[in-house]
Amino acid sequence: MRAVTTTAPGLSTLDGVTVGRSSISWVGGTTGDLVYRGFDIRALVPGVPYESIVHLLLEGDPPPDDPPREVVAALEAARPLPAEIAAAADAVPAEVPPLDALRTLLSLLGDGSYPYPPTREQGYRLIARLPVLLARHVRRAAGRPPVDPLPGLSHAANYLRMLRGDPAPPARVRALEAYLDLLADHGMNASTFALRVAISTETDLVSAATAALGTLKGPLHGGAPSRVSAMLDAIAEPAAAEAWIRARLARREVLYGFGHRAYKTEDPRAVVLHALARDVADPRRLALAEEVERTALRLLRQAHPTARLYANVEYYGAVLLEGVGLPPELFTPTFAVARTAGWTAHALEQAGANRLIRPEVEYVGPPSGRAWPRPRAPA
Amino acid sequence: MRAVTTTAPGLSTLDGVTVGRSSISWVGGTTGDLVYRGFDIRALVPGVPYESIVHLLLEGDPPPDDPPREVVAALEAARPLPAEIAAAADAVPAEVPPLDALRTLLSLLGDGSYPYPPTREQGYRLIARLPVLLARHVRRAAGRPPVDPLPGLSHAANYLRMLRGDPAPPARVRALEAYLDLLADHGMNASTFALRVAISTETDLVSAATAALGTLKGPLHGGAPSRVSAMLDAIAEPAAAEAWIRARLARREVLYGFGHRAYKTEDPRAVVLHALARDVADPRRLALAEEVERTALRLLRQAHPTARLYANVEYYGAVLLEGVGLPPELFTPTFAVARTAGWTAHALEQAGANRLIRPEVEYVGPPSGRAWPRPRAPA
């Protein structure tokens, strides 16, 4: 047998292993940067339409116009659901939580019409339909009829309108669009990696995106922002922050919204989201969040002097999405809506130079040669 | 920034990287071995009940009895579907191919009732219900009413009965059970790795198993065996094998059923499946498969003198499952039914000593600093 040179259980930078090359986005974990195809996200957000970010991530360059006519037309054409898919979607039990429902609804799109290799056109369908399916489920769970997508509205505006039933105020649409832009891709995170492992077997885009969505759900990845809102609710007012956080740290429980596997400095997305939250958040809620952040960082740094901890994307993402008017159970599904652009870009990149991702593992179980304790049934 | 020591795009042995340790199964790629928890599969198959393999993989040791009363009872209790899930399953369009449908049906089980961390009890539910959901969809697609699971029948016998509507001949049940035993786990393959990436975010077992199923679907992993049947159909008789294979190789097309990323010698599963196929396969079909194997290996070795190519698990798996009476579109779904045991074991192992699997990637896109070509919309 061949000698194994490196064991990398978490496959992180610290393990000294990369899983390959990508030209889609760069996460500068020590410098606090996030770059899409050479564009610093602070040069894009706010103000570049999500449809242009989709074009940038999928094609590698900015589109010829903002928003790009071609992407807008592709998304508009794809939004209306086929009747059979709508009927099947409406049979998912209404009480299934939105993210679990979204995983099933996304899978339902895969009816054989997404053959390998993935294409941009398949990606547009995925990106277009995820918010439609999500909004439909959320409204049905609330006993409300579905709201059809409206041609002429942006992706962000359509999403809010399909959830609410009426057009959202422009400030909320702008804030949501900035959130979608900022969350559209983020290097080789766990959900994107799961998608690339799936695509590497030459499976279809829907199967791979469903794998990604189920991976995003975990609280160590995208599943925690609703817990930020719950924490702010529990603390309720700035003066209560210190006692609440001290008690939690004393019980050795996690403070959600702080720290990130990749960033050892400020998460640039959190910085932008914090600034943008001022346009939509309730001022008292924002003041509470800022006091909780200050207190949490002070106490965390006392408790872990060597750890480099900052508010992460989920912290001010939660504050901003509250201001947009979304309930906490829609935070992670909205993260997924944003990330479909990045997932599609990574699926295209993986399929463009594919190699099966089948890792090696060290077997540490009992050596071969154990004997079954009873006679086997005759063949 | 830290120097990167190893780049491992496929994460295979050749790259000199392992992704960690596991005590579940050992794949001896150069020796032609497959070992579950210290038991050579040839010491288990045929004759050890699938329920005992489930116990072995999940618990680490053989059960106190064959089949184990506890596992049998847990599976029997879990097989009947809740009415809401059955109704939602029946809304999946009947023409969706079985494997795509199974991904959606599996996801549908995740209604919030599989909280992290995964448990054996959750695994039993998953293992029990996958064949029930699959058989229900297949029969509905054929315009037939569902057949309820029958207490007192083994997992293998129940699966065939729910598909057929009547009890299967004992030889077919035995052959299917041997197939389920042999395919129950296989080291750190792509679907299992996708599942462990998902679980590492602390997502739920259903999300992770859905990721695995979508990954298994790819023809470079579990999606190819139906193509073996199609190839045998196309060749039709032994005398036509050489011309057909020569033409295919001349077009540089893949011959499905030969070669494996892990095995550089005979796949032990293929050897056992070949022997067992004699009990159930049509003798003329088996003779055709054997002649095609001999011819393919001779021509492949002429074309690639250094490659170590052998018939793989999909080759004689297809011949055996044909003999069991399953149509080709059910081969990969049946593989998934078998693998739920291994997936559950790996989910339990990952969660037992979890670390987020978030790999590093080398960014090779344009350097940061590009300027968006147009003014951004005012915030």
Side-chain angles (χ1 to χ4, degrees):
Chain A
M1 279 201 287
R2 200 174 167 291
V4 163
T5 57
T6 308
T7 300
L11 293 173
S12 74
T13 314
L14 287 174
D15 298 308
V17 175
T18 73
V19 293
R21 298 184 173 84
S22 174
S23 60
I24 300 170
S25 67
W26 178 63
V27 178
T30 52
T31 53
D33 290 306
L34 174 59
V35 171
Y36 294 164
R37 304 280 194 186
F39 291 91
D40 188 309
I41 53 153
R42 285 158 293 208
L44 305 174
V45 183
V48 171
Y50 182 70
E51 290 82 350
S52 297
I53 300 290
V54 168
H55 181 103
L56 175 66
L57 290 172
L58 270 56
E59 312 261 356
D61 286 302
D65 41 359
D66 285 321
R69 231 168 310 182
E70 191 197 327
V71 176
V72 168
L75 295 180
E76 285 197 350
R79 278 194 191 99
L81 297 176
E84 263 199 317
I85 288 181
D90 288 347
V92 173
E95 65 273 20
V96 173
L99 191 58
D100 289 293
L102 191 59
R103 184 191 57 236
T104 299
L105 298 169
L106 169 53
S107 174
L108 201 51
L109 293 177
D111 55 0
S113 61
Y114 289 76
Y116 183 91
T119 64
R120 288 192 191 107
E121 189 278 330
Q122 292 178 7
Y124 293 145
R125 269 192 280 159
L126 204 67
I127 294 164
R129 287 182 179 171
L130 214 60
V132 180
L133 289 162
L134 175 61
R136 189 176 183 100
H137 179 79
V138 170
R139 287 185 64 87
R140 191 162 52 83
R144 294 184 184 148
V147 174
D148 286 335
L150 193 65
L153 283 190
S154 72
H155 196 62
N158 248 314
Y159 177 39
L160 283 182
R161 184 176 168 278
M162 289 187 292
L163 280 170
R164 297 162 48 101
D166 62 351
R172 292 188 175 193
V173 174
R174 274 199 307 274
L176 177 68
E177 179 154 79
Y179 176 89
L180 297 180
D181 287 356
L182 289 170
L183 278 282
D185 197 51
H186 200 252
M188 194 62 80
N189 54 82
S191 62
T192 299
F193 187 48
L195 167 129
R196 291 186 76 135
V197 170
I199 287 287
S200 84
T201 71
E202 299 189 357
T203 195
D204 65 286
L205 180 60
V206 166
S207 290
T210 306
L213 186 80
T215 305
L216 182 70
K217 183 178 179 237
L220 300 189
H221 186 6
S226 64
R227 302 186 188 185
V228 172
S229 289
M231 175 178 72
L232 296 179
D233 288 345
I235 296 174
E237 49 184 313
E242 177 144 356
W244 193 93
I245 295 168
R246 278 193 187 280
R248 187 154 177 107
L249 293 179
R251 291 192 305 270
R252 300 185 172 276
E253 289 174 2
V254 174
L255 274 189
Y256 288 102
F258 298 96
H260 191 279
R261 171 82 165 256
Y263 291 109
K264 300 308 166 199
T265 180
E266 282 196 301
D267 182 332
R269 301 168 298 174
V271 175
V272 177
L273 289 167
H274 184 180
L276 292 169
R278 296 189 181 105
D279 294 339
V280 289
D282 171 59
R284 289 178 50 210
R285 186 71 163 183
L286 183 61
L288 172 64
E290 289 170 341
E291 177 59 21
V292 168
E293 180 196 13
R294 270 189 299 271
T295 308
L297 293 181
R298 176 164 50 82
L299 296 176
L300 283 168
R301 286 166 185 165
Q302 282 172 12
H304 309 283
T306 59
R308 287 166 292 181
L309 292 167
Y310 297 86
N312 61 32
V313 67
E314 305 197 313
Y315 192 78
Y316 281 108
V319 176
L320 178 126
L321 291 179
E322 284 180 0
V324 168
L326 299 184
E329 65 268 23
L330 290 186
F331 293 176
T332 302
T334 303
F335 185 170
V337 163
R339 191 53 63 84
T340 48
W343 288 337
T344 299
H346 280 275
L348 295 171
E349 188 177 62
Q350 179 69 33
N354 192 38
R355 180 172 176 202
L356 177 64
I357 301 176
R358 192 203 190 285
E360 195 61 22
V361 67
E362 185 186 351
Y363 176 70
V364 293
S368 185
R370 293 176 83 186
W372 197 254
R374 290 167 296 277
R376 292 191 258 156
Chain B
M1 280 201 286
R2 201 174 168 291
V4 163
T5 56
T6 309
T7 300
L11 293 173
S12 74
T13 313
L14 287 174
D15 299 308
V17 175
T18 72
V19 293
R21 298 184 173 84
S22 174
S23 60
I24 301 170
S25 66
W26 178 64
V27 178
T30 51
T31 52
D33 289 305
L34 175 58
V35 171
Y36 293 164
R37 304 280 195 186
F39 292 91
D40 188 310
I41 53 154
R42 286 159 290 208
L44 305 174
V45 182
V48 171
Y50 181 71
E51 289 83 349
S52 296
I53 299 290
V54 168
H55 181 103
L56 175 66
L57 290 172
L58 270 57
E59 312 260 357
D61 286 302
D65 41 359
D66 285 320
R69 230 169 310 181
E70 192 198 328
V71 176
V72 168
L75 296 179
E76 285 198 350
R79 279 194 190 100
L81 296 176
E84 265 200 316
I85 288 181
D90 289 347
V92 172
E95 65 274 19
V96 173
L99 192 58
D100 289 293
L102 191 58
R103 185 192 56 236
T104 299
L105 298 170
L106 169 53
S107 174
L108 201 51
L109 293 177
D111 54 0
S113 61
Y114 290 74
Y116 182 90
T119 63
R120 288 191 190 108
E121 189 279 331
Q122 292 178 7
Y124 293 145
R125 270 193 280 160
L126 204 67
I127 293 164
R129 287 183 179 169
L130 214 61
V132 179
L133 288 162
L134 174 62
R136 190 176 183 101
H137 179 79
V138 169
R139 287 185 63 87
R140 191 162 51 84
R144 293 184 184 149
V147 174
D148 286 334
L150 193 64
L153 283 190
S154 72
H155 197 62
N158 248 314
Y159 177 39
L160 284 181
R161 184 175 167 278
M162 289 187 292
L163 281 170
R164 297 162 48 102
D166 62 351
R172 292 189 174 191
V173 174
R174 272 199 310 272
L176 177 68
E177 179 154 78
Y179 176 89
L180 297 179
D181 287 356
L182 289 169
L183 277 283
D185 197 50
H186 201 251
M188 193 62 81
N189 53 82
S191 61
T192 299
F193 187 47
L195 166 129
R196 290 186 76 135
V197 170
I199 287 286
S200 84
T201 71
E202 299 189 356
T203 196
D204 64 286
L205 180 61
V206 166
S207 289
T210 305
L213 185 80
T215 304
L216 182 70
K217 183 177 179 238
L220 300 190
H221 185 7
S226 63
R227 302 187 188 184
V228 172
S229 288
M231 175 178 73
L232 295 179
D233 288 345
I235 296 174
E237 48 184 312
E242 176 143 357
W244 194 93
I245 295 168
R246 278 193 186 280
R248 188 155 175 107
L249 293 179
R251 292 192 304 271
R252 298 184 173 276
E253 289 173 3
V254 174
L255 273 190
Y256 287 102
F258 298 96
H260 191 279
R261 172 82 166 257
Y263 290 109
K264 300 308 166 200
T265 180
E266 282 195 300
D267 182 332
R269 300 169 299 174
V271 175
V272 177
L273 288 167
H274 183 179
L276 292 169
R278 295 189 182 106
D279 294 339
V280 288
D282 172 58
R284 290 178 49 212
R285 187 70 164 185
L286 183 61
L288 172 65
E290 289 170 341
E291 177 60 22
V292 168
E293 180 196 13
R294 271 189 299 272
T295 308
L297 292 181
R298 177 164 50 82
L299 296 176
L300 282 168
R301 287 167 184 164
Q302 283 172 13
H304 310 282
T306 60
R308 286 166 292 180
L309 293 167
Y310 297 86
N312 60 33
V313 66
E314 304 196 315
Y315 192 78
Y316 281 108
V319 176
L320 178 125
L321 292 179
E322 285 179 358
V324 168
L326 298 185
E329 67 268 22
L330 290 187
F331 292 176
T332 301
T334 303
F335 184 169
V337 163
R339 190 54 62 85
T340 48
W343 289 337
T344 299
H346 280 274
L348 295 171
E349 188 177 62
Q350 179 70 33
N354 191 39
R355 180 173 175 199
L356 177 65
I357 300 175
R358 192 202 190 285
E360 194 61 23
V361 66
E362 186 186 351
Y363 177 70
V364 293
S368 184
R370 294 175 82 186
W372 197 254
R374 291 167 296 278
R376 292 191 257 157

